[in-house]
Amino acid sequence: MTRKATVLPAASTALSRRFLRRAQQDARHFVRQFMHQSAYRAGLALSLFAGASSLALAAQPPSQPAAPDLLLGAAWYPEQWPEEVWEHDLALMEAAHIHLVRIGEFAWSRMEPREGDWQWGWLDHAIALAARHHMKVLLGTPSAAPPAWLTQAYPDTLRVSNAGVRDEHGNRQQFSFVSARYRALTHDLAERMAVRYGYNPTVVGWQIDNELAEPSFDPEAHKAFHAWLEKKYGTIQNLNQKWWTSYWSQTYSDFGQIPVHDADENPALLLNWKQFVTETWVSYVRNQAAPIRQHALPSQFITTNTMGWFDGFDGYTLHQSLDLVGWDDYETEWTDNAARHDLARGYKMKNFWVTETDPGFVNWRPNNLAHDKGEVRALAWQAVGHGADAVEYWQWRAALNGQEQYHGVIAGADGNPAPIYAEIQQIGAEFEKAAPALRETTPHAQVALLHDMPSRWAISFQKQVEGFDPVKALTAFYAPLRHMAGTVDVISPHQNLAPYTLIVAPGLNVLPQEVADHLLAWVRQGGHLVLGPRSGMKDADNALDPHLQPGPLAAALGAHVSQFYGLVQPVPLSLGQAQGSADGTVHGTGTRWAETLVPTDPATRKEGMYGPSNGWLDGAPVAVSRQVGKGEITYLSTIPDPATLETYLKTQVQNAHALSPFASLPADVEACVRRGKGHDVLVLINHARTPVTFTLPESTAAADLLTPGAPISGPVTLPGYGVRVLRLTGSHA
């Protein structure tokens, strides 16, 4: 199909210098990348360069309005529908203020219906129509759903389960993530797409694959894992020593003898397998990202869509190879959802995109109940409050067949708006209103929650008690920290710690010396580190540390754990340093896990005491603290009940001078602050079904961004699932 040359719109005199510079950079990049291709493309490149260079002289208004900085989007599947209905769908989207569509991520069989028979005309048309309706395109590489001809011709590309069963065609993600043949095919696919669409100004970015998830246990993966281990350990003797393989006569004389499984194996093997899987997914993503970067404009970012607390790989490591974090948000409980947003932001310490979220309900839970009316809007603004610059709904229109027929949609199978359409339309209109104030703003935190994937994996391998779920342990601490501090970053212990005055690390189970040194350096400069139960038990190879918990931090703490106890029933405790109680002590219970702490330094302070329970814990301190340099380390040996934990953590947040001015708001009201240059934006959300009335801090000077002129002084009433978005004239983070 012959493509018409893209014509750059004329610029108004108000066009920013930043846009001009980006346009010129993109055009120069286009010239460099495409001069070696056809004369047609080279000529087009020169015309683009000339157009970009002349933007500053143009006085005509743009022929199309630019998409706002805050984008509302939908997953659109034009390959599933006849082209006659595309215009209808896009017009409805435009009327709902949708400025972004994600397309292509499952369309390989439409792009290449037979091997080597490339069909691009339909995709050219879809992208052009999206541009006509003032939309940007997030273009997905369709490697998550290989076509039937591929899996038939190349069965060696199919993944094999842990049980040894080879996958078949008919679902998705049936490929082996390590297959060299599949990598070659997907590299070629990504390169062809990038050559064709990498210059297209409608394409704002690229999504690699879709929801990376399933590893493979095929013979090729076996060989790759054994080679990875040999590279890491050097000699089989070194591996035997690190893995303590003398236990149960597991000693190996050759790397090829090592089993390849993800359960019921040596804990060191299981941890190494997870790390191998992570690095394999990283190389899988880079395999497609490399040709895209080679041929695409610098302004086009590369992302993928991850899945919240999913533990199949280390998201912090994976996102080092990506430009922007995208995640698929299908959580229903608002506090956990807040933590997942902060996790996404913490991967790169940048704003992120919600690449998928449901417009009302899903189809894959045991009970797929709809959100209440207004709740979809509240959750959209929650995402923005935590740093999302785009919110995309899955999906636009109901598919007539397939495995997700009952999933929530914005338009029905007949193409007419579903009941949720009006609420989506309201969100889109509000995004347009608030976008200028939200531009170049992001949440800023003084408090961080450490989320360490090796530690999560290690605990999940050996929970000891069913009730100790590492994610639930994290969120138990997150909820009160979020309420008290306002903004919490969920970060890896390897990241920069300098911005924080308080860091809480529940379950930092795997604690290598270099991580301990990193944390101690921050503490000595004035930080306060609170370790939770099960911290510092394992080394980098998932072996028990003979120094006892918290391992390499025991000397600095001036205490160690002499024994641990899994809990099914709560145990009584009192906990010191609680502000608001007459004697500075709060009485409650410890849950899930408890440990006996033994101070070894007279400078170590005891905090609280266990009451009568199993005899071993009776009278033992619940927590201990010690000053280290300008800072302090605390070890909390259990997870107190929610009320006790909130009271205790409030003291820690206050001592770290990180208490939010909005900490006194009602429990179901979330206050999110995004900071910018010269102003902040406050997003207030009532997550309850019923109205709530409260008073904002007196120092809050604001303007309502959604309802200009609305009163903001005195009591504020938010209806059920109500939202206010306020521009603040000062720092309230």
Side-chain angles (χ1 to χ4, degrees):
M1 178 177 178
T2 302
R3 287 193 301 274
K4 295 181 180 180
T6 304
V7 179
L8 288 177
S12 67
T13 54
L15 195 61
S16 70
R17 290 188 179 92
R18 181 170 61 87
F19 178 81
L20 289 173
R21 288 196 298 270
R22 173 53 61 86
Q24 290 172 333
Q25 290 169 0
D26 285 355
R28 291 189 183 100
H29 181 82
F30 181 94
V31 172
R32 289 195 300 270
Q33 296 299 329
F34 289 90
M35 280 292 270
H36 71 281
Q37 298 184 29
S38 67
Y40 173 80
R41 284 182 175 148
L44 175 58
L46 291 173
S47 69
L48 280 171
F49 179 75
S53 299
S54 64
L55 282 173
L57 302 176
Q60 299 294 323
S63 60
Q64 296 181 7
D69 292 284
L70 181 59
L71 293 169
L72 184 69
W76 178 44
Y77 298 98
E79 73 274 13
Q80 297 178 13
W81 298 93
E83 295 193 19
E84 298 82 61
V85 307
W86 293 2
E87 185 74 40
H88 166 82
D89 282 356
L90 289 166
L92 273 179
M93 290 185 213
E94 186 174 16
H97 308 277
I98 288 174
H99 290 283
L100 175 71
V101 287
R102 188 187 71 188
I103 61 178
E105 80 272 12
F106 297 129
W108 194 340
S109 64
R110 185 73 185 270
M111 295 176 187
E112 192 184 12
R114 291 162 296 279
E115 186 169 10
D117 178 16
W118 296 96
Q119 300 292 326
W120 300 110
W122 69 274
L123 189 53
D124 293 345
H125 184 205
I127 293 173
L129 275 181
R132 191 182 304 167
H133 287 273
H134 313 119
M135 296 180 194
K136 294 295 185 183
V137 168
L138 178 61
L139 190 55
T141 65
S143 49
W149 63 257
L150 190 155
T151 51
Q152 181 184 43
Y154 307 114
D156 57 300
T157 65
L158 291 168
R159 65 177 293 271
V160 173
S161 73
N162 191 20
V165 178
R166 188 173 292 276
D167 213 338
E168 298 179 353
H169 195 81
N171 207 306
R172 58 174 175 163
Q173 296 181 334
Q174 66 265 35
F175 61 89
S176 168
F177 70 158
V178 77
S179 167
R181 190 192 300 276
Y182 197 70
R183 299 252 183 138
L185 290 164
T186 54
H187 183 281
D188 177 62
L189 170 64
E191 184 167 39
R192 289 175 184 273
M193 293 180 71
V195 166
R196 194 168 188 92
Y197 304 111
Y199 65 88
N200 194 314
T202 301
V203 177
V204 67
W206 298 78
Q207 178 184 295
I208 304 295
D209 207 272
N210 184 277
E211 294 183 342
L212 306 174
E214 297 296 336
S216 181
F217 298 84
D218 58 86
E220 201 169 352
H222 282 229
K223 292 179 181 178
F225 181 47
H226 293 150
W228 184 88
L229 290 172
E230 185 169 11
K231 181 179 179 181
K232 177 177 180 178
Y233 289 100
T235 67
I236 197 67
Q237 292 78 14
N238 187 36
L239 180 144
N240 284 326
Q241 180 183 359
K242 298 285 188 180
W243 288 19
W244 205 256
T245 55
S246 55
Y247 183 82
W248 281 2
S249 193
Q250 296 175 55
T251 307
Y252 305 109
S253 58
D254 184 87
F255 285 97
Q257 298 170 346
I258 297 172
V260 184
H261 294 294
D262 63 357
D264 302 320
E265 294 288 349
N266 186 308
L269 186 155
L270 296 177
L271 181 59
N272 275 272
W273 170 253
K274 287 287 193 181
Q275 292 166 337
F276 163 77
V277 168
T278 296
E279 292 192 22
T280 304
W281 278 123
V282 168
S283 63
Y284 177 89
V285 166
R286 287 176 177 171
N287 177 64
Q288 295 184 46
I292 294 173
R293 294 193 199 282
Q294 181 181 357
H295 296 291
L297 296 169
S299 57
Q300 293 181 349
F301 62 80
I302 299 177
T303 188
T304 191
N305 52 332
T306 52
M307 299 175 286
W309 296 118
F310 177 71
D311 70 348
F313 52 79
D314 188 332
Y316 295 98
T317 300
L318 182 83
H319 282 97
Q320 292 177 19
S321 300
L322 298 167
D323 304 316
L324 180 142
V325 174
W327 85 279
D328 292 356
D329 178 9
Y330 292 105
E331 180 50 45
T332 57
E333 198 282 313
W334 75 263
T335 304
D336 189 8
N337 207 50
R340 294 172 194 240
H341 286 310
D342 292 340
L343 168 68
R345 191 180 69 251
Y347 282 142
K348 294 185 75 69
M349 299 309 300
K350 293 180 181 178
N351 286 6
F352 57 93
W353 280 21
V354 173
T355 37
E356 289 184 21
T357 190
D358 65 276
F361 52 88
V362 297
N363 70 302
W364 37 263
R365 292 191 177 104
N367 297 294
N368 297 289
L369 306 181
H371 292 305
D372 293 344
K373 191 173 184 179
E375 193 174 5
V376 167
R377 173 175 173 255
L379 291 172
W381 276 110
Q382 181 187 43
V384 174
H386 284 261
D389 287 335
V391 176
E392 281 189 281
Y393 288 97
W394 199 96
Q395 61 178 325
W396 164 252
R397 184 170 177 167
L400 299 184
N401 215 315
Q403 284 90 324
E404 296 172 299
Q405 289 174 304
Y406 280 103
H407 198 286
V409 292
I410 305 173
D414 61 353
N416 292 319
I420 196 66
Y421 179 90
E423 193 167 326
I424 301 294
Q425 189 176 45
Q426 179 185 2
I427 296 166
E430 291 175 344
F431 277 14
E432 289 178 354
K433 288 180 182 179
L438 285 162
R439 182 182 300 121
E440 297 182 359
T441 65
T442 190
H444 287 258
Q446 294 177 277
V447 174
L449 188 71
L450 288 194
H451 171 235
D452 180 56
M453 286 307 304
S455 295
R456 264 188 68 187
W457 291 328
I459 292 174
S460 295
F461 299 150
Q462 299 170 299
K463 287 185 177 181
Q464 190 71 7
V465 285
E466 187 178 9
F468 199 108
D469 177 274
V471 170
K472 290 180 179 178
L474 282 167
T475 53
F477 283 81
Y478 174 87
L481 288 172
R482 169 72 188 165
H483 187 70
M484 296 300 168
T487 303
V488 176
D489 286 344
V490 181
I491 64 170
S492 159
H494 300 279
Q495 289 174 268
N496 178 26
L497 308 179
Y500 310 109
T501 57
L502 173 66
I503 292 176
V504 179
L508 188 58
N509 195 244
V510 174
L511 186 55
Q513 184 65 52
E514 59 270 22
V515 173
D517 292 343
H518 182 50
L519 293 169
L520 272 176
W522 171 80
V523 170
R524 290 190 180 102
Q525 293 301 312
H528 184 188
L529 174 65
V530 177
L531 298 167
R534 305 189 74 158
S535 290
M537 182 177 283
K538 306 286 195 71
D539 67 11
D541 292 289
N542 208 10
L544 292 174
D545 191 327
H547 295 96
L548 302 182
Q549 295 173 251
L553 290 177
L557 179 67
H560 66 257
V561 172
S562 64
Q563 190 55 270
F564 56 85
Y565 303 94
L567 300 179
V568 175
Q569 298 296 326
V571 296
L573 58 78
S574 61
L575 197 52
Q577 290 196 353
Q579 297 188 10
S581 59
D583 62 352
T585 301
V586 61
H587 299 275
T589 58
T591 67
R592 308 183 208 188
W593 197 266
E595 296 163 336
T596 48
L597 285 164
V598 179
T600 57
D601 189 305
T604 299
R605 304 187 311 276
K606 298 179 182 180
E607 298 176 10
M609 181 185 299
Y610 284 106
S613 58
N614 64 358
W616 301 107
L617 290 165
D618 300 4
V622 176
V624 295
S625 294
R626 183 173 180 271
Q627 185 173 346
V628 180
K630 299 177 182 177
E632 187 172 57
I633 295 180
T634 295
Y635 194 106
L636 179 63
S637 66
T638 190
I639 302 177
D641 65 86
T644 304
L645 182 59
E646 181 168 3
T647 302
Y648 182 74
L649 289 178
K650 182 177 181 180
T651 301
Q652 315 308 318
V653 172
Q654 287 175 322
N655 291 343
H657 307 289
L659 190 68
S660 167
F662 306 107
S664 61
L665 294 183
D668 286 321
V669 174
E670 186 176 16
C672 308
V673 178
R674 287 178 50 151
R675 299 180 63 181
K677 295 180 180 179
H679 75 277
D680 298 345
V681 175
L682 170 65
V683 180
L684 292 168
I685 308 160
N686 177 18
H687 290 285
R689 292 181 174 181
T690 54
V692 62
T693 300
F694 54 90
T695 302
L696 292 174
E698 292 183 5
S699 61
T700 305
D704 194 303
L705 295 172
L706 303 185
T707 311
I712 55 172
S713 59
V716 173
T717 298
L718 282 178
Y721 302 117
V723 175
R724 299 274 312 258
V725 183
L726 307 177
R727 178 182 176 124
L728 308 181
T729 57
S731 177
H732 296 78

